[in-house]
Amino acid sequence: MRFFLLRMIVLFLAILPLSSDAQKIKADKKLLAVADKYLTAAAAQYKILQQQLPADKFPKTYFPTTGKYEWSNSGWWCSGFYPGTLLYLYEATKDASLYQEALRILQLLEKEKNNTTTHDLGFMMFCSFGNANRLQPKTEYNEILLTSAKSLCTRFNPATGCIKSWDSKKGDFLVIIDNMMNLELLFWATLYSGDSSFYKIAVTHANTTLKNHFRSDNSSYHVLNYNSETGAVQQKRTAQGFADASAWARGQAWGLYGYTATYRETKDVQYLQQANAIAAFILNHPKLPSDKIPYWDFDATTIPNALRDASAAAIIASALLELKEYVNAKTAAQYVNAATVILKNLSTEKYRAAAGTNGGFILQHSVGHFPQQTEIDVPLTYADYYYVEALLRYKQLNRK
Ligand code: GLY
C-alpha cells in the first residue's frame, strides 16, 4: 500500500505542474548538428532498397549474412512503414523521388482499407496514408483512412471491451499490447467524420487494456485471452516475449507510445499517468544497458549476452520525444536525455548501417520474433520508421 501511494505521488509530481519550461528543453547540440546528415544518409539507403524491391512487393527484412531479402505483400502488418518512412524522408530532404516512390507503393497498399482480418490497420494505413494526408491533404486519402477505420472497428467486441488482435479458436479473444498503436487511426476518424463511435471504441479499448494488461510494476503482458462472450480474462501470456511473465521489450515500447498518443487525443490524465509509469519501468530498469538500447526482452536469461532490439529503442525514443511535451520540466529533461542517448547510440556504426550496406535498410540489429526464431538480429522496417520519426521530432526540439 505504501509503495502504491509513493508511486501515485511520483506520478502526480511528474505531471504537475505542467510547466511551460517543458517546451524549452534544449536538444543536444552535437546530435542536432548531425541529424540532417543522418536523414540524408537514410534517404540514400532507401533509394538502394527501392532499387531492389520487386514492383509488387513491400520490404520486410534483409539477412546480412546471406545477402537475401524477404519481401511481403500488402497484407503483412508492416506494409505501411516503407511508404511512411519514404514520406518522412521526403519531408526531411525534399527529394521528390522519395515522394514519387511513396505514391507508387500507396497504390498497392490501398486495397488493405477493406481488410477486416487484421488489427494492424493503424500501422498499415495511418503510418502511410495518414502521413501522406498530413503532407498533402486529399479527399481520396481521407476516404481511404475512414474506410480503414471502419474495417478496424469490425473487430471490436463490446463484451470484451476490446478490438480483437488475432483471430483464434471459438470462445477465445486475443488482444496484444501492440494493439494500442492502432487507436490513432480511430481518433482521426472521429475528428474527420464527426462520428464519435470510433473515439468510443478507441477509449474503451485503451481502458480495458489499462485495467488488464499491466502488472504492478507497470510492465505489460504481451497477449491477453478474453472470453469472447463474458469478457473475462482467461489467460495472460506471451507470444513474442521470453516468457508469459516477462517484459518483452517491444511490447513495453508499444505501450509507451500507444498511451502517449492516446493521451494526446483525449487529454485523459490516466493515460498520461500510464505512459509515465511505463517510461519509469523502462528507464529505471536494472537490465536496461547504459546505451539504452534494450535487450529484446528485459527478462531474457542470457543477458548480458542477449540480443538487443534496435526497433524497441527507436519506438521508445520517438515516444519519449512526444511524452516530454506533457510533463514537468524535470521529467521532460529526463525524457529528452534518454531519447538523446538512444538516438546517439542508434546512430553509431554499431546500429546505423554504413552507406550501401544492410540491403538499403537504415538500422541493423532488431529482433522480430525470437520464440519463433524469425527475423533475428536483422533490419526491420519499423525500426527504420520510428528512428526517422524520432530524428524528425528531435529536430523540432529547438524550434519550440
Ligand atoms: N506484433 C508486432 C511486433 O512484432 O511488434
Side-chain angles (χ1 to χ4, degrees):
M1 186 62 187
R2 257 174 53 199
F3 178 72
F4 175 76
L5 280 176
L6 195 64
R7 182 154 207 98
M8 292 314 289
I9 291 167
V10 169
L11 290 172
F12 189 68
L13 290 176
I15 57 172
L16 283 177
L18 175 57
S19 162
S20 59
D21 289 354
Q23 313 303 319
K24 292 184 205 143
I25 301 295
K26 288 283 179 269
D28 178 272
K29 284 203 169 63
K30 283 190 192 150
L31 179 56
L32 205 55
V34 287
D36 279 328
K37 189 181 94 178
Y38 295 157
L39 288 164
T40 304
Q45 285 293 97
Y46 262 48
K47 287 187 183 186
I48 294 171
L49 186 55
Q50 177 189 343
Q51 279 163 15
Q52 300 302 319
L53 182 64
D56 58 344
K57 297 290 181 197
F58 290 74
K60 196 171 171 190
T61 188
Y62 171 81
F63 299 97
T65 46
T66 59
K68 289 219 168 85
Y69 286 89
E70 212 167 272
W71 312 115
S72 78
N73 59 28
S74 59
W76 177 240
W77 76 275
C78 300
S79 54
F81 295 122
Y82 175 64
T85 304
L86 288 166
L87 290 163
Y88 275 147
L89 292 173
Y90 164 67
E91 202 176 348
T93 62
K94 299 289 175 278
D95 181 333
S97 70
L98 299 165
Y99 191 58
Q100 288 313 314
E101 171 62 358
L103 295 186
R104 181 193 72 80
I105 200 107
L106 286 179
Q107 287 177 359
L108 278 184
L109 183 57
E110 181 184 338
K111 62 177 176 296
E112 299 304 329
K113 68 186 178 189
N114 296 314
N115 187 342
T116 55
T117 68
T118 179
H119 74 135
D120 287 317
L121 285 171
F123 284 125
M124 295 158 72
M125 308 307 274
F126 204 65
C127 296
S128 53
F129 286 98
N131 267 318
N133 206 30
R134 184 176 58 78
L135 291 178
Q136 189 163 8
K138 285 187 189 165
T139 309
E140 177 199 339
Y141 294 153
N142 285 325
E143 289 306 312
I144 291 167
L145 288 164
L146 189 60
T147 304
S148 305
K150 286 179 184 164
S151 296
L152 181 56
C153 287
T154 64
R155 300 181 67 79
F156 179 73
N157 171 351
T160 61
C162 280
I163 297 163
K164 190 199 280 180
S165 294
W166 295 332
D167 295 339
S168 178
K169 66 181 195 316
K170 199 167 178 290
D172 286 358
F173 192 97
L174 303 180
V175 180
I176 61 175
I177 187 67
D178 324 24
N179 206 341
M180 283 300 301
M181 298 295 286
N182 295 308
L183 304 185
E184 264 186 281
L185 172 65
L186 301 184
F187 290 121
W188 173 90
T190 283
L191 278 178
Y192 172 68
S193 67
D195 176 352
S196 63
S197 62
F198 301 104
Y199 185 100
K200 284 182 189 150
I201 286 176
V203 160
T204 305
H205 182 95
N207 290 344
T208 308
T209 301
L210 193 58
K211 184 163 147 235
N212 296 324
H213 244 91
F214 290 91
R215 308 180 180 109
S216 57
D217 64 359
N218 288 301
S219 68
S220 55
Y221 291 93
H222 184 205
V223 187
L224 258 69
N225 182 6
Y226 293 90
N227 180 304
S228 60
E229 277 162 26
T230 66
V233 176
Q234 309 182 129
Q235 276 179 314
K236 297 186 176 193
R237 61 176 175 83
T238 197
Q240 282 164 264
F242 167 72
D244 291 345
S246 75
W248 174 49
R250 197 162 55 253
Q252 313 317 305
W254 291 142
L256 174 65
Y257 195 116
Y259 276 99
T260 301
T262 303
Y263 173 69
R264 180 215 309 140
E265 300 299 334
T266 61
K267 294 294 174 241
D268 183 333
V269 79
Q270 64 173 335
Y271 305 138
L272 176 57
Q273 287 177 345
Q274 192 57 39
N276 279 317
I278 300 168
F281 173 83
I282 294 171
L283 298 178
N284 300 328
H285 199 287
K287 300 275 174 67
L288 182 70
S290 58
D291 63 10
K292 301 198 192 301
I293 314 292
Y295 296 102
W296 72 275
D297 191 302
F298 283 96
D299 298 299
T301 47
T302 50
I303 291 174
N305 298 317
L307 290 170
R308 306 295 191 90
D309 181 13
S311 75
I315 299 157
I316 291 166
S318 190
L320 290 175
L321 289 172
E322 174 169 5
L323 187 55
K324 72 101 192 157
E325 296 287 324
Y326 312 135
V327 296
N328 66 39
K330 184 163 169 259
T331 310
Q334 285 166 0
Y335 291 168
V336 171
N337 289 342
T340 304
V341 172
I342 292 173
L343 287 177
K344 278 184 161 178
N345 282 298
L346 285 180
S347 302
T348 60
E349 61 187 19
K350 187 167 170 197
Y351 289 98
R352 197 169 64 93
T357 68
N358 207 33
F361 285 85
I362 304 163
L363 293 182
Q364 316 174 85
H365 304 310
S366 290
V367 174
H369 199 314
F370 194 89
Q372 220 171 53
Q373 285 293 293
T374 51
E375 301 175 342
I376 305 297
D377 199 20
V378 289
L380 289 168
T381 49
Y382 42 100
D384 289 357
Y385 176 88
Y386 290 101
Y387 171 71
V388 169
E389 181 182 86
L391 282 176
L392 287 172
R393 287 182 173 183
Y394 205 83
K395 282 179 40 160
Q396 292 299 320
L397 287 176
N398 268 13
R399 303 225 169 99
K400 293 195 166 129

